[in-house]
Amino acid sequence: MSQEQPRRPSGQQEPTIRYGDVFPAVSGNLAEKPVAPQDAATMQSAENLVLGQTLKGGPAAAMQSAATVNERMGVVGHDDATDATAVQGVTVSETRVPGGRLVTEFVAGQAVGQYLARDDDAMAGGGGGGGVVDNTKVTIGEALEATALAAGDDPVERSDAAAIQAAEARATGLDGNVPGGLAAQAQAAAAANAWAARDEDKATLGDVLADAAAKLVADRPVESADALRVAGAENRNKGDGTARPGGVAASMAAAARLNRNEAVWE
């Protein structure tokens, strides 16, 4: 198995999909390495060993898509691997949480994916405890999806990314960004939008927040404290200090009022 053997003709630059393109949260040398076919195969094997399957839309699937393009373009060969997997390796770890397992996947020591694998018995009502979401309440993920409907065509700005980061943190209870999660995607979108020359080239809130509830590693009903934290994050990062109409803070506030059985149209 060879490592990182580029196949470009001399003087010709072919498109290359690198780890940083697939996983915006990675940094350093890994971000600049091309995704190779055997990298994807290694991650696929790791997912199968730990989870019993290759996840649809998971890191292995994303790597396979990128590697296929790189191979088609002649950037890498079918048997090529980068030292990111051949030397430094891949890891899939699990942490038990109420209702399931928090799964984190790593390439060369950097997290490239994190998600909640729910237990079947917990999803069916067994297991009890704090992992069961009250289906009569609006969740943080559902509030974010409401933003995608209300302001989905608006380009993602720094204030939106800050609000999404705050909302994700309140939903998951995690201090940092979830690798490849909503906050990471929103921050990458806001950074790219700042350099985009045309509005039509900018990533929108709808692009980031569609199916937000399914993308969160954990979710729970919106409370007043959640709405206040998100509003503070959005306002602090907005030039005029006001919330976006129909934006993340507005949707969270409406959800909190609804969960308190108050009118949301006042």
Side-chain angles (χ1 to χ4, degrees), residues 80-119:
D80 284 354
T82 66
D83 58 8
T85 59
V87 178
Q88 296 171 286
V90 303
T91 306
V92 179
S93 67
E94 298 178 290
T95 302
R96 295 297 305 183
V97 296
R101 302 166 291 162
L102 187 63
V103 179
T104 308
E105 300 191 31
F106 300 86
V107 174
Q110 296 195 47
V112 296
Q114 190 174 61
Y115 40 87
L116 185 66
R118 297 187 182 277
D119 291 336

Side-chain angles (χ1 to χ4, degrees), residues 23 30 58 81 96 117 121 132 148 162 197 216 221-222 238 250:
F23 306 113
L30 179 61
R96 295 297 305 183
D121 58 344
V132 178
L216 289 171
V222 180
K238 189 80 169 174

Side-chain angles (χ1 to χ4, degrees), residues 14-115:
E14 295 286 1
T16 302
I17 301 180
R18 298 177 171 84
Y19 275 92
D21 300 320
V22 181
F23 306 113
V26 304
S27 60
N29 290 335
L30 179 61
E32 298 302 318
K33 293 182 182 297
V35 182
Q38 293 306 314
D39 294 0
T42 301
M43 180 59 84
Q44 183 176 19
S45 296
E47 283 189 1
N48 286 333
L49 284 171
V50 175
L51 305 173
Q53 60 180 329
T54 301
L55 294 178
K56 182 179 180 180
M63 290 169 65
Q64 183 61 60
S65 296
T68 299
V69 173
N70 283 343
E71 183 179 355
R72 185 181 301 125
M73 295 298 171
V75 176
V76 294
H78 182 71
D79 293 326
D80 284 354
T82 66
D83 58 8
T85 59
V87 178
Q88 296 171 286
V90 303
T91 306
V92 179
S93 67
E94 298 178 290
T95 302
R96 295 297 305 183
V97 296
R101 302 166 291 162
L102 187 63
V103 179
T104 308
E105 300 191 31
F106 300 86
V107 174
Q110 296 195 47
V112 296
Q114 190 174 61
Y115 40 87

Side-chain angles (χ1 to χ4, degrees), residues 217-232:
V217 300
D219 200 4
R220 63 177 181 78
V222 180
E223 299 176 355
S224 296
D226 304 320
L228 288 172
R229 181 67 61 86
V230 171

